[in-house]
Amino acid sequence: MPTSFTVVPVEAQGEERDGQQREEEDERDERDRGTGDGIARESSPFINNAELDRGNMYEGKNMALFEEEMDSNPMVSSLLNKLANYTNLTQGVVEHEADEDSKRKEVKGPRMGTFIGVYLPCLQNILGVILFLRLTWIVGTAGVLESFIIVFMCCACTMLTAISMSAIATNGVVPAGGSYYMISRSLGPEFGGAVGLCFYLGTTFAGAMYILGTIEILLTYISPSAAIFKVEDVGEETEAMLNNMRVYGTCIIILMAIVVFVGVKYVNKLALVFLACVILSIFAIYAGVIKTAFDPPDFPICLLGNRTLSKRSFDVCAKFTESNNETKTTHLWRLFCDSSLLNATCDDYFSLNNVTEIQGIPGIMSGVLTDNLWSAYSEKGSIVEKKDQPSVAGSEESKMGGLPYVFTDIMTYFTMLVGIYFPSVTGIMAGSNRSGDLKDAQKSIPTGTILAISTTSFIYLSCIVLFGACIEGVILRDKFGEAVNGNLVVGTLAWPSPWVIVIGSFFSTCGAGLQSLTGAPRLLQAIARDGIVPFIQIFGHGKANGEPTWALLLTAGICEIGILIASLDSVAPILSMFFLMCYMFVNLACAVQTLLRTPNWRPRFKYYHWTLSFLGMSLCLALMFICSWYYALIAMLIAGCIYKYIEYRGAEKEWGDGIRGLSLNAARYALLRVEDGPPHTKNWRPQLLVLLNLDNEQLVKHPRLLSFTSQLKAGKGLTIVGSVLQGIYLDKCTETQKAEENVKALMGVEKTKGFCQIVVSPNFRDGISYLIQSAGLGGMKHNTVLMAWPQSWKQTENRFSWKNFVDTVRETTAAQQALLVAKNIDLFPTNQERFTEGNIDVWWIVHDGGMLMLLPFLLRQHKVWRKCKMRIFTVAQMDDNSIQMKKDLQMFLYHLRLNAQVEVVEMFENDISAFTYEKTLMMEQRSQMLKQMQLSKNEREREIQSITDESRGSVRRQSYSSPLSIVQDAQALLTNDYQEEEAQLIHDRNTASHSASAVEASVATAVSEKVQMTWTKEKFVAEKHKNKDSNVSGFKDIFNMKPNQSNVRRMHTAVKLNGVVLNKSQHAQLVLLNMPGPPKNRKGDENYMEFLEVLTEGLDRVLLVRGSGREVITIYS
């Protein structure tokens, strides 16, 4: 009975859809309206998508074209509104990209301008302990000219760094964190972490230096009697002072740590008080200089000959005094003589020279500047002498230790003074650290920082000239003011009283120490919370309000190391190294960004140039080695170790840094150079394209293939790991990303250094072809393909695997690429295994350019194969001289510098065995049977196609019927009658569905009506039985066929060669074998797979090698 089909027009079908279906489709469209293409987009850090009012956004039709993308790509007005409400995070918290402080209540405090927010903090940090305690001594020792050079170099270094810092700080929003954030976001996490930790160490040691300065002021100038360790014997002054420093320093650092822990807000409130002390002290110095022009202060100093005497030990500067016509010896006499009598035995130098008294501060109009222009460096323990003062040398100089002279405590030279002075110009980052509290950071930071450096540079340079013009040279070289009754030297110049300087410097150093203990833990907390240095992540935690408790404890501990050193002159060069390294990388960051000309490099500060940054970087590096070459090397070693640690173990961060841009530029340049031509044979190495198979979960089926890759490459050369997903890319993009993540994860586990490339293709065969043709870039393309042997090629459900494999072999040959096929790949060793013995056997049947020789050499570089020995076998025919072949091969290996055992195997011609004949016959019968099954399957598919074509013609004639229904019913008939057979044979449904969709579009305006078709169920079944009968007769012919003689000969070779290889290499750890090429006639492809299977039968680990057609190894140097 004929079957009737109903055709429903498109319009009618659309009209019959009810309201519920429309609502469901609208809901589905609303869910899919993310991007329009189903791809998830990255959310913007400035936009909170949850807060968008969709109802208002989608009103009106002006933006209807973009409404499907409004969730991920909002309107410009919404974006600008979010940007306007953007605020920085507080100092010491994680980077601004990760808004982890959103739960905190936003405190909208008053924003600071340039003067309060940048200028004054920079002044407070730059002007400090060195100005009050060491600058006069530096001027006296180095002279005015060399001191001017020292200060000018250091100030030029900070000015150039400030210019670079201003460019970086104005290139977008800079969060709190100062130089660490600038360097890490410009040069990457490795440089950022290394230099950030160095900057942290510098800030911590700066705190130790300020505390030591505080103790020195306290015990030397305010209350000398407070010393715990008293001087008992002559010459123990320095040791006693250092011990006092250690005890008091430990107590003060504990006290300061408690203050910072309990109330850091009070430290910030006292900052202005400490700054006022500094400014008041500087004004007192200038006022004192002006006063010396007309009324110099009275600070007499006592000289014995030209030697300066310490007034701590006596009160009258004379050998004896006249009182009531009676001559009495003074206390000074008794210090140099053995009794108070006039005829006592005295020191020879004391007897020969007179005691004179001169003014320590002659005044600015005295002309003392000319005497102080030149340097007066000295050895440790030498006496401070006045150059132009007459004196008579004594005969005995051995007992000076106990005499009241002013001695130098350390050896002085130019480079040492640079290291001591440089900390006095640090602190230029104070403004950038407070960028979150500024009204307009991009305007305030450059202006305030450069003005502060200009001001402090003027103060330092003017003080050098004024000190040299007002103060006597011997006083300048008197570090602790012993010649002026233990007064602070710069205090003697101040007006109205020396105590202004003493008290002011005391409070300023206290405040600076507190500031260091406040800022350093927050810097460490910021680095720890960034997560780039795993072992310090614990220091990112703190109290509930964000205070860095653990970081404060570590900072106090490191600061204690500086306290135990106890010498301000020894601690200063250490922190100079760390600060100089930090400034050097700020300059490097600016230079790199400028030279790369990245599109995002658009600083508002325009007065910079890469030459200035490069000059600043060079000056920083030079100053590091000028200060102390061994400290510089140690600082660089520390930074280098941190860099490599972050690179090896640290978290991967992508901050758009300049080093990545520099790498891209360098890679582009190198690729253009490599493009010139193919590499020379001496430079040839296998650049691998590894073809992986993935399962349904996008996991790698054979992980050992990547293990073998890493063993073969050892991290050298190019490795591209590729795989193919079958389908359409728009449908498979999510699976592609998942597959790429899985492959990259496995590459990390197996330590395979290379690139991953996943290709989506309508069929697997074309995808592999795409990879072979297009993987790589320019001259960095693969020259070798590595793949696993298709173990399941004989299975019917995987009948296309052998065809894909053979076509891959042909394509690598056409592309002049080598091919490596690993058989039994799951038996290959992992990277953790070690072969303690065994052989790598090479069966060199035909010459392939030397690949078989090179591969074992590369494998034996890896720890897995290192202890395996290399054996080379070659095959001799009947007419070959096997003895001469062995000698020639040994000589060839000698010239190749390869150590291997050589053996020549003789294969004699013999008759083809019955086993070979039978195996060939079975192979051909199987092949013919598969072809018959494939033919019958194709005929069935053609029947379906003919039904579709007939229905298409009927519809075109009557314009009524729908062929989609016809095809579906025809397939239903097949399914009902031949369900099992069709499940195996029909695999491609695309033809029917494609035809149906095409016809559906062509009958869009048709009118519904039922029609009668010429194809009936009975006719269709009769046709199927007719084809089936013809197939049965074809199968009967298979059992009467005779094998092809060419196939018999090839099978004979495979069987014979397999027997020889098994005999010699059955127990080898790896067998490398020449891979024969596929037949030129494509009809015998399945036979080719059988030949390879027989050739490698019985071997555990086999690597089939097919050369690229070029020489890859040479005997020449």
Side-chain angles (χ1 to χ4, degrees):
M1 180 177 178
T3 306
S4 299
F5 299 92
T6 303
V7 179
V8 180
V10 176
E11 285 85 351
Q13 185 178 356
E15 291 172 359
E16 290 177 3
R17 186 172 60 184
D18 57 9
Q20 182 178 1
Q21 288 177 325
R22 288 194 184 95
E23 290 177 1
E24 291 176 355
E25 290 191 8
D26 290 341
E27 290 177 1
R28 185 170 63 253
D29 291 342
E30 193 68 35
R31 288 195 302 270
D32 296 339
R33 194 184 288 157
T35 62
D37 54 6
I39 302 174
R41 299 288 175 86
E42 184 180 357
S43 60
S44 171
F46 301 110
I47 301 160
N48 187 355
N49 294 331
E51 297 177 358
L52 295 178
D53 187 0
R54 298 186 180 180
N56 296 332
M57 181 176 297
Y58 300 148
E59 285 182 0
K61 301 298 181 184
N62 291 336
M63 293 293 147
L65 186 61
F66 302 97
E67 66 180 8
E68 291 188 354
E69 299 181 349
M70 284 294 185
D71 285 349
S72 59
N73 299 339
M75 294 176 62
V76 174
S77 58
S78 173
L79 175 67
L80 293 177
N81 183 39
K82 297 296 179 181
L83 287 173
N85 295 329
Y86 174 71
T87 56
N88 275 325
L89 300 181
T90 56
Q91 180 177 353
V93 193
V94 294
E95 58 188 278
H96 70 289
E97 292 91 348
D99 189 9
E100 293 185 1
D101 273 9
S102 59
K103 296 181 181 179
R104 298 185 186 180
K105 294 182 180 179
E106 184 179 353
V107 180
K108 294 185 178 180
R111 296 287 184 171
M112 294 183 290
T114 303
F115 186 75
I116 298 294
V118 180
Y119 181 74
L120 290 182
C122 285
L123 277 185
Q124 181 185 0
N125 280 267
I126 295 173
L127 299 172
V129 61
I130 301 295
L131 171 64
F132 302 116
L133 295 184
R134 292 293 182 269
L135 190 59
T136 54
W137 173 70
I138 291 173
V139 173
T141 304
V144 173
L145 293 179
E146 292 187 23
S147 299
F148 199 90
I149 293 173
I150 292 173
V151 174
F152 182 80
M153 277 198 309
C154 296
C155 292
C157 176
T158 54
M159 179 62 78
L160 292 171
T161 304
I163 292 172
S164 299
M165 183 194 72
S166 300
I168 298 174
T170 57
N171 187 48
V173 180
V174 177
S179 61
Y180 163 65
Y181 279 96
M182 293 181 188
I183 295 170
S184 61
R185 270 53 175 184
S186 297
L187 294 180
E190 293 88 359
F191 277 110
V195 181
L197 286 177
C198 286
F199 189 54
Y200 161 75
L201 292 174
T203 307
T204 305
F205 275 103
M209 184 188 73
Y210 291 132
I211 292 173
L212 291 175
T214 303
I215 303 165
E216 183 176 312
I217 294 170
L218 176 67
L219 297 181
T220 306
Y221 307 115
I222 296 178
S223 178
S225 60
I228 298 175
F229 296 90
K230 306 293 184 180
V231 180
E232 298 178 357
D233 298 328
V234 176
E236 293 183 356
E237 297 88 350
T238 303
E239 189 63 30
M241 184 67 178
L242 293 179
N243 289 331
N244 286 320
M245 290 274 197
R246 294 183 180 107
V247 174
Y248 274 97
T250 303
C251 297
I252 289 179
I253 199 171
I254 293 173
L255 182 63
M256 285 186 173
I258 293 173
V259 170
V260 171
F261 177 77
V262 172
V264 69
K265 57 183 179 181
Y266 301 112
V267 176
N268 293 328
K269 288 182 179 179
L270 288 174
L272 281 178
V273 177
F274 298 141
L275 177 61
C277 293
V278 174
I279 295 175
L280 185 63
S281 301
I282 292 173
F283 278 125
I285 292 173
Y286 281 110
V289 169
I290 295 172
K291 183 176 179 292
T292 60
F294 52 87
D295 183 19
D298 183 26
F299 279 99
I301 57 175
C302 191
L303 299 176
L304 176 61
N306 64 350
R307 298 177 179 178
T308 310
L309 298 177
S310 172
K311 279 199 170 182
R312 292 179 184 269
S313 306
F314 60 93
D315 50 355
V316 179
C317 182
K319 293 183 179 181
F320 39 79
T321 57
E322 296 285 341
S323 177
N324 299 324
N325 294 327
E326 183 179 357
T327 302
K328 293 183 179 179
T329 58
T330 61
H331 186 63
L332 179 62
W333 177 279
R334 291 190 289 274
L335 291 173
F336 282 91
C337 303
D338 56 2
S339 70
S340 59
L341 301 176
L342 291 174
N343 58 354
T345 303
C346 297
D347 178 76
D348 190 35
Y349 187 86
F350 181 77
S351 303
L352 295 174
N353 292 277
N354 295 324
V355 176
T356 56
E357 195 171 51
I358 61 173
Q359 279 297 327
I361 303 179
I364 196 171
M365 307 300 292
S366 63
V368 73
L369 178 63
T370 56
D371 297 333
N372 295 329
L373 282 177
W374 311 109
S375 61
Y377 300 117
S378 58
E379 298 289 331
K380 180 179 179 180
S382 59
I383 301 173
V384 177
E385 298 178 344
K386 184 172 171 55
K387 297 176 184 178
D388 56 352
Q389 190 75 8
S391 65
V392 179
S395 60
E396 187 177 344
E397 305 286 342
S398 59
K399 297 181 180 180
M400 292 191 301
L403 301 178
Y405 294 124
V406 177
F407 295 98
T408 57
D409 61 337
I410 57 174
M411 184 176 69
T412 54
Y413 44 92
F414 179 82
T415 56
M416 186 266 292
L417 295 180
V418 175
I420 291 176
Y421 172 75
F422 188 81
S424 65
V425 296
T426 60
I428 63 174
M429 301 289 181
S432 62
N433 288 345
R434 300 178 179 223
S435 60
D437 301 323
L438 301 174
K439 288 180 183 176
D440 186 359
Q442 297 193 5
K443 178 182 177 182
S444 297
I445 289 176
T447 306
T449 305
I450 292 175
L451 279 178
I453 293 175
S454 302
T455 304
T456 53
S457 299
F458 172 77
I459 291 172
Y460 282 128
L461 293 172
S462 62
C463 282
I464 286 173
V465 176
L466 294 177
F467 290 164
C470 296
I471 306 175
E472 186 62 50
V474 290
I475 299 294
L476 290 173
R477 291 191 292 277
D478 183 7
K479 184 186 290 187
F480 301 108
E482 296 178 16
V484 285
N485 299 321
N487 281 304
L488 185 61
V489 174
V490 70
T492 60
L493 183 63
W495 180 85
S497 168
W499 286 100
V500 175
I501 300 292
V502 172
I503 300 300
S505 60
F506 178 78
F507 281 113
S508 71
T509 50
C510 279
L514 282 172
Q515 290 285 349
S516 296
L517 283 181
T518 304
R522 279 157 179 74
L523 179 59
L524 180 63
Q525 185 185 47
I527 300 172
R529 288 191 174 181
D530 259 349
I532 60 174
V533 187
F535 72 88
I536 66 167
Q537 287 187 359
I538 186 176
F539 299 108
H541 306 295
K543 293 194 292 186
N545 61 354
E547 291 298 321
T549 308
W550 292 106
L552 177 62
L553 291 176
L554 179 66
T555 303
I558 297 175
C559 204
E560 177 65 20
I561 297 174
I563 297 296
L564 294 178
I565 296 175
S567 172
L568 188 147
D569 301 321
S570 301
V571 172
I574 296 176
L575 65 103
S576 294
M577 291 301 111
F578 292 124
F579 278 119
L580 278 168
M581 182 171 292
C582 175
Y583 296 164
M584 180 177 71
F585 280 101
V586 169
N587 286 296
L588 175 63
C590 182
V592 167
Q593 296 278 29
T594 307
L595 288 173
L596 288 179
R597 298 177 182 175
T598 51
N600 194 49
W601 178 247
R602 303 184 301 274
R604 290 188 179 275
F605 182 78
K606 301 298 182 184
Y607 305 101
Y608 71 94
H609 195 266
W610 69 268
T611 54
L612 294 178
S613 300
F614 187 79
L615 179 62
M617 182 184 68
S618 304
L619 189 55
C620 289
L621 185 63
L623 284 174
M624 285 178 67
F625 284 92
I626 286 173
C627 295
S628 174
W629 64 268
Y630 47 89
Y631 277 163
L633 292 177
I634 292 173
M636 287 182 171
L637 181 64
I638 293 173
C641 291
I642 298 172
Y643 178 94
K644 295 305 292 183
Y645 177 80
I646 296 173
E647 186 181 52
Y648 180 67
R649 293 289 305 275
E652 293 183 1
K653 299 284 183 180
E654 178 51 64
W655 288 327
D657 51 89
I659 291 297
R660 182 174 177 81
L662 194 63
S663 301
L664 289 174
N665 271 12
R668 171 184 166 274
Y669 174 78
L671 282 173
L672 290 175
R673 291 290 301 273
V674 173
E675 185 73 9
D676 293 343
H680 191 272
T681 304
K682 290 186 290 186
N683 296 327
W684 194 95
R685 65 168 60 246
Q687 316 283 16
L688 290 183
L689 169 62
V690 185
L691 298 178
L692 295 179
N693 290 327
L694 304 178
D695 58 16
N696 294 331
E697 300 296 327
Q698 315 307 331
L699 298 174
V700 178
K701 286 185 179 179
H702 304 293
R704 299 287 179 94
L705 198 60
L706 284 180
S707 303
F708 183 70
T709 302
S710 61
Q711 294 160 21
L712 184 63
K713 299 293 291 183
K716 306 295 183 183
L718 174 70
T719 302
I720 301 173
V721 180
S723 187
V724 178
L725 296 182
Q726 193 166 344
I728 306 300
Y729 181 70
L730 288 178
D731 301 332
K732 294 280 187 178
C733 57
T734 305
E735 297 177 22
T736 304
Q737 294 176 356
K738 181 181 178 182
E740 189 170 350
E741 291 174 1
N742 293 339
V743 172
K744 285 183 177 179
L746 184 61
M747 290 173 67
V749 172
E750 299 294 343
K751 298 181 180 179
T752 305
K753 297 183 182 296
F755 307 98
C756 176
Q757 188 168 352
I758 306 296
V759 171
V760 180
S761 174
N763 60 72
F764 192 80
R765 167 73 194 81
D766 291 342
I768 294 179
S769 179
Y770 299 157
L771 280 174
I772 292 175
Q773 294 178 63
S774 61
L777 180 64
M780 286 296 288
K781 291 182 69 70
H782 62 278
N783 54 29
T784 306
V785 176
L786 172 62
M787 61 189 301
W789 172 264
Q791 299 286 355
S792 57
W793 69 272
K794 291 184 178 180
Q795 299 177 9
T796 54
E797 67 270 11
N798 205 18
R799 61 188 176 281
F800 284 111
S801 64
W802 60 267
K803 187 168 182 56
N804 292 336
F805 176 82
V806 177
D807 286 342
T808 303
V809 176
R810 285 196 175 99
E811 288 201 347
T812 55
T813 305
Q816 295 183 342
Q817 296 173 5
L819 177 64
L820 308 179
V821 179
K823 195 165 185 290
N824 301 326
I825 185 60
D826 294 329
L827 299 179
F828 276 59
T830 63
N831 289 328
Q832 288 71 38
E833 295 181 40
R834 300 288 184 271
F835 287 137
T836 56
E837 59 182 2
N839 299 313
I840 299 177
D841 286 356
V842 177
W843 283 86
W844 193 21
I845 312 298
V846 294
H847 183 56
D848 60 349
M851 277 284 288
L852 282 170
M853 308 291 180
L854 189 61
L855 293 176
F857 170 77
L858 295 175
L859 281 174
R860 292 180 68 237
Q861 308 300 310
H862 197 273
K863 290 178 285 188
V864 174
W865 306 91
R866 187 165 295 163
K867 295 186 178 180
C868 292
K869 296 180 181 179
M870 179 177 170
R871 296 192 302 179
I872 296 182
F873 298 89
T874 189
V875 176
Q877 301 297 329
M878 283 291 295
D879 53 349
D880 292 330
N881 186 343
S882 58
I883 298 176
Q884 187 62 38
M885 281 181 63
K886 184 172 182 179
K887 290 181 179 179
D888 293 341
L889 184 55
Q890 288 174 337
M891 181 59 66
F892 181 60
L893 291 178
Y894 174 77
H895 287 303
L896 289 177
R897 290 89 63 201
L898 293 176
N899 295 321
Q901 180 182 343
V902 176
E903 188 169 342
V904 178
V905 179
E906 296 179 346
M907 281 183 60
F908 299 108
E909 291 288 343
N910 55 4
D911 295 334
I912 298 174
S913 64
F915 169 77
T916 302
Y917 190 88
E918 186 67 25
K919 198 170 185 67
T920 308
L921 181 60
M922 289 174 60
M923 174 188 72
E924 293 190 356
Q925 287 175 346
R926 177 182 176 276
S927 175
Q928 190 65 25
M929 190 177 298
L930 286 173
K931 285 182 180 179
Q932 292 290 345
M933 292 174 64
Q934 181 72 13
L935 181 62
S936 62
K937 164 188 164 299
N938 291 337
E939 288 177 350
R940 284 173 173 80
E941 290 178 344
R942 280 198 294 272
E943 291 293 341
I944 298 173
Q945 183 64 35
S946 65
I947 296 172
T948 306
D949 294 340
E950 182 69 25
S951 64
R952 184 185 296 115
S954 176
V955 168
R956 286 174 181 170
R957 287 191 300 270
Q958 302 186 20
S959 300
Y960 294 135
S961 300
S962 170
L964 179 62
S965 303
I966 298 171
V967 175
Q968 288 173 348
D969 287 349
Q971 288 178 339
L973 286 173
L974 291 174
T975 305
N976 293 332
D977 295 343
Y978 308 102
Q979 187 170 6
E980 294 181 1
E981 184 179 357
E982 287 301 318
Q984 295 181 1
L985 296 179
I986 297 180
H987 77 287
D988 189 359
R989 302 172 186 169
N990 292 333
T991 307
S993 62
H994 181 270
S995 303
S997 61
V999 178
E1000 184 181 356
S1002 69
V1003 297
T1005 59
V1007 181
S1008 170
E1009 187 176 326
K1010 296 184 179 179
V1011 296
Q1012 297 293 329
M1013 300 300 298
T1014 58
W1015 279 95
T1016 63
K1017 180 177 179 181
E1018 291 80 359
K1019 184 177 180 181
F1020 185 77
V1021 171
E1023 285 292 325
K1024 297 296 294 181
H1025 280 292
K1026 182 179 71 173
N1027 291 329
K1028 189 172 183 181
D1029 293 338
S1030 64
N1031 291 335
V1032 171
S1033 64
F1035 286 130
K1036 290 179 180 178
D1037 295 337
I1038 293 175
F1039 300 102
N1040 300 323
M1041 65 185 295
K1042 293 182 180 181
N1044 183 283
Q1045 291 301 314
S1046 176
N1047 287 339
V1048 172
R1049 288 197 308 272
R1050 288 175 179 164
M1051 183 64 74
H1052 176 69
T1053 303
V1055 172
K1056 285 283 293 180
L1057 195 54
N1058 175 256
V1060 172
V1061 173
L1062 277 178
N1063 182 37
K1064 297 287 185 180
S1065 304
Q1066 188 171 11
H1067 301 292
Q1069 302 292 5
L1070 179 65
V1071 176
L1072 283 81
L1073 193 63
N1074 278 121
M1075 181 178 179
K1080 294 180 180 180
N1081 184 4
R1082 298 197 175 206
K1083 294 180 179 179
D1085 285 354
E1086 63 272 22
N1087 299 337
Y1088 172 69
M1089 298 295 292
E1090 192 73 44
F1091 295 146
L1092 294 180
E1093 193 75 63
V1094 171
L1095 180 63
T1096 57
E1097 192 174 0
L1099 298 173
D1100 289 339
R1101 287 181 285 268
V1102 182
L1103 187 65
L1104 295 171
V1105 180
R1106 185 162 173 76
S1108 62
R1110 61 161 296 171
E1111 295 291 332
V1112 300
I1113 195 167
T1114 178
I1115 63 174
Y1116 299 105
S1117 61

